Amino acid sequence: MTTATLPDWKAGLEDVIATRSAICTVDGAAGRLYYRGYEIGDLAGRLSFEEVTHLLWFGERPGDAEGPAFAARLAGARGLPAPVAALLRTLPRECHPLDALRTAVSFAATLDPDVRSDAPEANVAKSVRLVALVPAVVAAWHRIRAGLEPVAAPAGGGHAAHFLHMLEGRAPGADVARVLDVILTLHADHELNASTFAARVAVATLADLHAAAVAAIATLKGPRHGGANDDVLAMLKAIGDPAKVEDYVEARIGHRDRLSRAERAAPGARMPGFGHRVYRVDDARARVIRVMAKDMAAATGRTRLFEVAEAVYASVTRRTGLPVNVDFFSAVVYDALGIPPDFCTSIFATARVAGWCAHALEQYADNRLIRPRAHYVGPSPRPLIR
Ligand code: COA
């Protein structure tokens, strides 16, 4: 069959159904997100990130005995393997945190006792180790590139609190840990977003779970996806003053109607943190995070950046009608947590690794190679004449 007889193509696979999944769904018109049938606003802060991870992987929230057992299993996998720490020390200090993470996860595959096994229990064991590894690497790189030693935080405590301890070298307050716990839940999964799709494509070839995680991290980096999170915080800091917002937004997107389509597509001609392939309105996560950003700014005294963010939000929505996405106000929360701009996407990865693993487990359980077609627009068959 030539591609001429296949159904027409959709640029960017927009609205194409590429798989069946029972994990997560998005209602773009209403701005709602559901994990296993639970609305995200009901989950955030009411289940811990560990419980949400259990829900995503196994389909149900853990029971009274299962919850502590699963949290203990995740906690038992904590700790940065010494060879991974040694690898991180060899990286140039200017290495982007997500590149450091991608490299470390790829290397960790060579150390994993189950790397060659795709048995369901081996994949769960690897998922547990990946969920523990990602925050350990992110925190270690945060410290190593600043000339500090990685911190081996005490083994107990929740996932978010443990991560913050590794990051800062001291135990966080309960309120700060709770903020990060909610952020992790809000970012844990998002249906067939680009990095998750990349992970499922890798799994569908029966590549191992670490290979899928590396594909996902690599895909998350782009400014059209998770990379926007870094860009938002860098942009808000560069603007720095609510009074400068209108001029900034005008200079960045005010002249868009005079640009060609290719010029309009350049990252510099877009506002990071706005627009979405599926949502037509601000989504539930963004609404929750906006409130958290306001509260965190007030609690930490870092109100200036929140004011800049509010002014940008008002200007861009008034001008374009684009929905704000999860990356916008989360960057303000990360700033209040003391996280530098180029680490925002790595925090995103710390959460999303739970979703990547959930989708990988689902794909392994009912797999078929993912191999779409291209709508061919090249030359017709022609003879090679020399
Ligand atoms: N700033 C300015 N214009 C934007 C925009 C933004 N952030 N997002 C979309 N648009 C415009 C596009 O330029 C395009 O207009 P045009 O057809 O006149 O050129 C139109 O809206 C549709 O954009 P398109 O790129 O086709 O939508 P998409 O569904 O393919 O892309 C995103 C979705 C998320 C990649 C896109 O909205 C974007 O680049 N956002 C900024 C990056 C970001 O925040 N990413 C994180 C996503 S969670």
Side-chain angles (χ1 to χ4, degrees), residues 11-12 14 190 222-229 231-232 252-253 256 260-262 264-265 267 269-280 285 316 320 322-323 325-328 348:
E14 181 168 2
H190 206 223
R224 291 279 160 92
H225 188 18
N229 219 188
D231 295 345
V232 169
R252 189 151 179 173
I253 61 169
R256 286 176 56 79
S260 67
R261 182 163 168 73
R264 288 199 305 277
R270 291 188 176 208
M271 291 296 292
F274 292 89
H276 200 273
R277 173 59 64 78
V278 183
Y279 292 117
R280 293 292 153 252
R285 302 168 306 166
V316 175
T320 68
L322 289 167
N325 63 50
V326 70
D327 293 332
F328 189 73
F348 191 154

